[in-house]
Amino acid sequence: MPVSAAASAREILTRLHDVMAARSPAQAKLNQVVEIIGEALDSEVCSIYLLREGVLELFATRGLAPEAVHVTKLALGEGLVGKIAEQNEILNLDEAASHPDFAYKPETGEDRYHSFAGVPIVRRERSVGVLAVQHADPRRYADIEIEALQTVAMVLSELIANAGLIDQGGPKDRVQSTATVRIAGQKLVDGMAAGYAVFHQPRVTIEHTVAEDTEAERHRVYAAFDKMREQIDRIAREAEFGVGDEHQEVIATYKMFAYDEGWARRINEAIDSGLTAEAAIERVQQRTRQRMRQIDDPLLADRMHDLEDLSNRLLRIVSGQMGTAAQLGLRQDTILIARNLGPAELLEYDRRRLKGVILEEGSLTAHVTIVARAMGVPVLGRVRDVRRTIAEGDLLLLDVTEGSVLVRPTLPMEEAFDAKLLLRQKRKAAYAALRDLAPQTRDGHRVTVMVNAGLRDDVAALDVTGADGIGLFRTEFQFLVSATLPQRERQQRLYREVLDAAADRPVVFRTVDIGGDKALPYLTSNDAEEENPAMGWRALRLALERDGLMKAQARALLEAAAGRTLNVMFPMVSEAWEFDEAKALFEAQRDWIASRGRRLPSEIRYGAMLEVPSLAYQLDLLLPRVQFLSIGTNDLTQFLFAADRANPKLAERYDWLSTSILRFVKLVSDQAQAAGVPVAVCGEMGGRPLEAMALIGLGIERLSITPAAVGPVKAMIRSIDRSRLRARMADLLAAPPRDVRGVLSDWAAGEGVELA
């Protein structure tokens, strides 16, 4: 019989409180616990498995064979119980034997039971056991029953830890060596930094889980919420980013979570079940973590991270354990380490001492990444098991350019790092000196070098680098950092400010490339989950279907560019008719604005991104209709080679200097030049000096690259003879060697080309 109300969970906790307060041995307490839970849930079986010496041991049971206690053991990952502990996840099955991970243990006598539900017993963020119930009749346990089990599991973690029944600490909680080690991660914000390891926050240890006075606990939570919101409001007021307010929008989204009544209500419901304020917050936080593990959408997961960061803040306030590293103050050059951070958390640190950040999680679209980029703080993400390999106070050499961090380096390693950092700084100074010099080859050919951007602050790179303009402004970034669909007025304000900051330099706006692997939580679809989102319903495909979104963006762009030239580019065009439909939509909005007597752009130039190979075979149809063309090498490469660039096994497998890529670019470049249509290359390929050199040799005259690449690429351009380069590239494509990269590198060295 399912539990009928939250009061049932409170009744269980009340009885467990009496058990825990008794002076009986721990084993006797566990024997009583399984009886209490089994009776409350009307479940024929209730079992507790605890992690000891690396294996899960059946410690107590109601319903299974008594002789199986302390005999039945499961490895992590073995059977349903092992899977729950290993994955730290919940299982709720109406027919346990049909699950692929089911493992039958004959000594338990469990073959007559069909239904199964199990939850992990979590202690200090790791699974230390499993609480499971079973029933003879096939049925799924109700959500309220599962929540009751999770609440009980939290109380059990306190009981079994105090009794010393589980492995204490565990390998994930201890640094195993003092030797030098290099750890790899994902490049989130580029840069190099040296500093000493500081963990963002010590773990908050919850000493008591069962409430004595529910109302008193509720008042403690209310007071903690008030204090937390005051902190967030203060951080939002004091945040300074310079140009524009895109980052304030990130903080505003974070602030929205702080005031979310649904979150507060869930904590209150946990208190109603009989938990203390600390345990209630942790209980809801555990559910958030479990949801995060089930979320494939990285953007939605990032927003769940924001909620977890706020939970940590709330937990520290209510427990009185306020000593985060930020609040204690940084005493020396610091590399900050955290599982994840919210933007408000990062802003609390002293920017003079904070040199870099290492995250166990993190992503390119996470709010903290956006804020760190604005602060100029390098960030390395997806660094696993940091607590096992890094100790507080360890010296760290962070090199996000290489995607790694060196822990406890030797003196020669420090000297090599310092030399590399000095060389990097000298090169940056040398590149800065090129700012006002034209990217012109030795034989007098001018190459257009522009930058890619996505935020207002990115426009400042034009003055810093001396770039010719913005060749790709990714308009979707505003959509990615917003909690709701950005209103047309907000979009218009962003586009106008970008154009104002760029002054007389051109800006090419790419319409939103969302959907697929850049799904937005506020643009949900009823369609089945896509197996290959990068090649799915995204970019122009999605925008033409949801034309209301594109109409709003079209009006925002047209009105923002009033009296100026508007360059607009459509992403992921597969066939010429898609371009026609997108242009017609823009033209209809132009006519609507004109009919109301409003100012229009002085000129509208339409272009397309060539990322899908099929478009190369419709260039005879497309080129007469466009004013410019951009080759997007990032997506083009994965489509051309059928190689998912998100797959780490394939990420480095296909070389941009392969004959296939080079010949494809040459094919497009030749046709565009014959039609008198300027063609640019947007993407990482153009930002690498050797690859950029090859592109120029193929006839490409316009590059749009990351701001950091402008200096090195400009230096390369000023050191080449374009006519000699084109002749060499023609020879290589006519009779390609096996190693084009090696041959081209040797040629560049012989010609004195600067390839930093």
Side-chain angles (χ1 to χ4, degrees):
M1 179 186 300
V3 178
S4 58
S8 298
R10 186 164 59 249
E11 180 185 343
I12 294 173
L13 291 193
T14 301
R15 295 178 65 185
L16 287 183
H17 182 267
D18 295 337
V19 170
M20 293 169 68
R23 294 189 175 182
S24 53
Q27 181 66 59
K29 290 181 178 180
L30 291 179
N31 292 341
Q32 288 179 273
V33 167
V34 293
E35 292 294 337
I36 291 170
I37 298 169
E39 289 174 13
L41 298 185
D42 192 23
S43 195
E44 293 158 311
V45 175
C46 179
S47 304
I48 295 173
Y49 294 80
L50 300 183
L51 186 66
R52 286 176 63 84
E53 298 180 358
V55 297
L56 291 156
E57 180 179 326
L58 178 61
F59 249 75
T61 186
R62 158 196 161 109
L64 297 184
E67 55 269 23
V69 173
H70 301 303
V71 173
T72 296
K73 296 182 181 180
L74 295 158
L76 287 174
E78 180 186 2
L80 302 178
V81 169
K83 180 179 176 63
I84 291 169
E86 182 184 54
Q87 301 295 325
N88 206 6
E89 64 179 23
I90 300 163
L91 282 181
N92 186 3
L93 309 169
D94 53 9
E95 189 57 72
S98 63
H99 193 281
D101 290 306
F102 178 77
Y104 176 57
K105 294 292 183 178
E107 71 273 11
T108 65
E110 64 180 335
D111 51 311
R112 61 183 181 275
Y113 302 109
H114 292 269
S115 61
F116 174 94
V119 300
I121 301 171
V122 179
R123 180 73 173 172
R124 295 181 177 174
E125 301 180 18
R126 70 186 189 98
S127 181
V128 296
V130 173
L131 173 62
V133 291
Q134 294 171 265
H135 202 276
D137 296 331
R139 73 170 180 91
R140 288 179 66 84
Y141 284 81
D143 288 345
I144 196 165
E145 292 177 285
I146 298 297
E147 292 198 12
L149 284 175
Q150 290 179 288
T151 302
V152 171
M154 173 174 283
V155 178
L156 276 177
S157 71
E158 179 185 339
L159 186 156
I160 60 181
N162 292 340
L165 296 176
I166 53 173
D167 296 338
Q168 296 295 324
K172 291 187 178 180
D173 294 332
R174 294 196 304 269
V175 174
Q176 299 294 298
S177 170
T178 57
T180 299
V181 61
R182 185 183 299 275
I183 314 173
Q186 181 185 12
K187 305 172 188 178
L188 297 183
V189 179
D190 194 30
M192 295 176 65
Y196 293 91
V198 171
F199 283 88
H200 168 56
Q201 62 186 54
R203 289 191 175 94
V204 175
T205 303
I206 299 175
E207 301 296 341
H208 303 291
T209 54
V210 181
E212 299 284 352
D213 184 339
T214 299
E215 285 307 309
E217 300 300 321
R218 198 184 320 281
H219 287 304
R220 292 177 64 215
V221 164
Y222 286 152
F225 262 104
D226 288 342
K227 187 169 184 178
M228 180 194 70
R229 288 165 177 167
E230 287 174 9
Q231 291 178 358
I232 300 302
D233 289 342
R234 175 181 52 77
I235 291 168
R237 287 194 304 271
E238 295 175 358
E240 296 178 0
F241 292 98
V243 181
D245 63 358
E246 191 76 39
H247 307 291
Q248 276 82 347
E249 292 176 5
V250 170
I251 298 296
T253 302
Y254 189 78
K255 184 175 173 181
M256 180 191 70
F257 281 111
Y259 283 86
D260 178 36
E261 291 302 324
W263 178 38
R265 185 183 65 253
R266 289 190 293 275
I267 294 174
N268 258 316
E269 289 171 351
I271 290 175
D272 284 339
S273 71
L275 294 175
T276 60
E278 292 90 341
I281 296 167
E282 175 66 16
R283 169 73 188 81
V284 174
Q285 192 173 16
Q286 284 181 9
R287 185 164 62 180
T288 300
R289 292 189 193 115
Q290 287 158 356
R291 287 182 62 193
M292 282 166 49
R293 280 190 288 273
Q294 297 165 0
I295 293 174
D296 293 327
D297 183 337
L299 296 169
L300 192 55
D302 290 338
R303 281 148 182 79
M304 297 295 283
H305 285 312
D306 285 350
L307 188 55
E308 172 152 347
D309 291 324
L310 285 165
S311 296
N312 290 334
R313 181 181 291 268
L314 188 65
L315 187 57
R316 291 195 298 272
I317 292 171
V318 81
S319 66
Q321 300 180 46
M322 296 291 292
T324 67
Q327 289 153 342
L328 293 174
L330 303 180
R331 300 175 183 175
Q332 56 190 336
D333 288 352
T334 295
I335 304 295
L336 187 68
I337 302 171
R339 182 200 295 114
N340 219 313
L341 285 171
E345 304 274 358
L346 185 64
L347 287 168
E348 289 185 310
Y349 282 92
D350 181 349
R351 300 186 197 183
R352 296 168 299 176
R353 297 278 175 82
L354 181 63
K355 300 302 179 181
V357 175
I358 294 173
L359 299 176
E360 291 184 77
E361 296 173 355
S363 73
L364 286 166
T365 55
H367 288 169
V368 69
T369 304
I370 296 167
V371 172
R373 189 180 293 115
M375 293 170 64
V377 176
V379 181
L380 186 68
R382 303 288 176 182
V383 181
R384 302 300 184 192
D385 295 334
V386 290
R387 287 187 180 273
R388 187 172 62 181
T389 50
I390 301 175
E392 188 93 16
D394 278 344
L395 177 61
L396 305 178
L397 303 180
L398 179 63
D399 189 344
V400 181
T401 305
E402 296 293 330
S404 66
V405 58
L406 201 59
V407 185
R408 297 176 295 273
T410 62
L411 183 58
M413 290 174 177
E414 287 185 62
E415 292 172 347
F417 182 87
D418 290 341
K420 183 178 179 180
L421 184 58
L422 181 62
L423 180 61
R424 180 186 175 101
Q425 292 167 342
K426 286 182 177 178
R427 283 177 176 166
K428 286 180 71 174
Y431 296 145
L434 297 176
R435 185 188 67 179
D436 298 323
L437 299 178
Q440 184 170 297
T441 64
R442 292 202 320 248
D443 53 342
H445 186 81
R446 179 67 156 83
V447 179
T448 300
V449 177
M450 299 186 288
V451 294
N452 300 329
L455 297 168
R456 288 184 189 85
D457 289 8
D458 293 342
V459 185
L462 291 176
D463 293 326
V464 173
T465 64
D468 294 312
I470 297 175
L472 170 63
F473 190 90
R474 299 181 176 96
T475 60
E476 64 269 12
F477 224 86
Q478 187 182 33
F479 292 73
L480 299 180
V481 301
S482 298
T484 57
L485 184 69
Q487 296 299 310
R488 179 174 56 82
E489 292 76 13
R490 247 179 74 202
Q491 295 182 51
Q492 181 180 327
R493 185 170 67 250
L494 168 64
Y495 305 148
R496 183 182 294 119
E497 290 178 1
V498 169
L499 288 167
D500 288 344
D504 58 344
R505 290 162 293 196
V507 179
V508 178
F509 291 98
R510 185 179 71 182
T511 59
V512 286
D513 182 357
I514 55 176
D517 56 352
K518 288 186 278 188
L520 303 179
Y522 51 81
L523 282 181
T524 55
S525 172
N526 294 326
D527 298 333
E529 184 178 334
E530 296 185 274
E531 292 187 9
N532 193 338
M535 299 175 70
W537 205 247
R538 56 171 276 212
L540 190 60
R541 298 166 180 175
L542 183 147
L544 290 176
E545 178 193 47
R546 296 179 178 245
D547 61 354
L549 182 153
M550 196 170 187
K551 286 177 182 176
Q553 184 174 39
R555 278 186 57 191
L557 284 166
L558 289 163
E559 292 176 341
R564 295 184 271 208
T565 298
L566 172 63
N567 297 287
V568 62
M569 177 168 63
F570 305 120
M572 206 174 174
V573 179
S574 304
E575 296 186 274
W577 67 263
E578 292 176 325
F579 172 84
D580 292 340
E581 284 200 9
K583 180 181 177 181
L585 188 150
F586 262 75
E587 288 292 294
Q589 294 304 304
R590 183 187 65 80
D591 293 343
W592 186 91
I593 294 170
S595 69
R596 280 150 180 78
R598 299 178 190 171
R599 290 185 70 200
L600 288 166
S602 57
E603 180 186 6
I604 306 174
R605 301 178 71 249
Y606 292 102
M609 283 202 78
L610 196 159
E611 304 158 278
V612 183
S614 63
L615 190 61
Y617 302 96
Q618 288 201 2
L619 288 178
D620 59 324
L621 303 176
L622 181 70
L623 289 172
R625 310 177 194 188
V626 298
Q627 280 75 52
F628 61 94
L629 190 69
S630 289
I631 302 173
T633 53
N634 293 355
D635 269 333
L636 175 65
T637 304
Q638 70 170 341
F639 296 153
L640 203 58
F641 286 114
D644 183 357
R645 59 182 169 140
N647 186 329
K649 291 185 178 180
L650 298 174
E652 302 297 331
R653 179 166 180 174
Y654 296 104
D655 191 347
W656 271 318
L657 292 181
S658 73
T659 307
S660 299
I661 290 287
L662 297 176
R663 283 181 169 175
F664 187 94
V665 171
K666 184 74 164 65
L667 171 75
V668 174
S669 175
D670 287 350
Q671 291 188 63
Q673 286 186 19
V677 175
V679 59
V681 165
C682 300
E684 293 181 42
M685 181 179 181
R688 301 184 180 191
L690 184 63
E691 282 85 339
M693 185 187 79
L695 290 170
I696 294 168
L698 297 175
I700 296 295
E701 299 180 351
R702 301 167 70 87
L703 299 170
S704 187
I705 57 183
T706 61
V710 171
V713 168
K714 188 182 283 190
M716 177 275 296
I717 291 171
R718 292 179 58 83
S719 67
I720 61 172
D721 183 305
R722 179 173 175 263
S723 60
R724 289 177 60 79
L725 173 61
R726 294 196 70 167
R728 184 61 181 132
M729 287 302 300
D731 291 342
L732 288 178
L733 291 192
R738 181 171 182 177
D739 180 16
V740 176
R741 179 175 295 278
V743 171
L744 202 54
S745 296
D746 292 343
W747 181 86
E751 291 283 319
V753 178
E754 186 172 335
L755 297 175

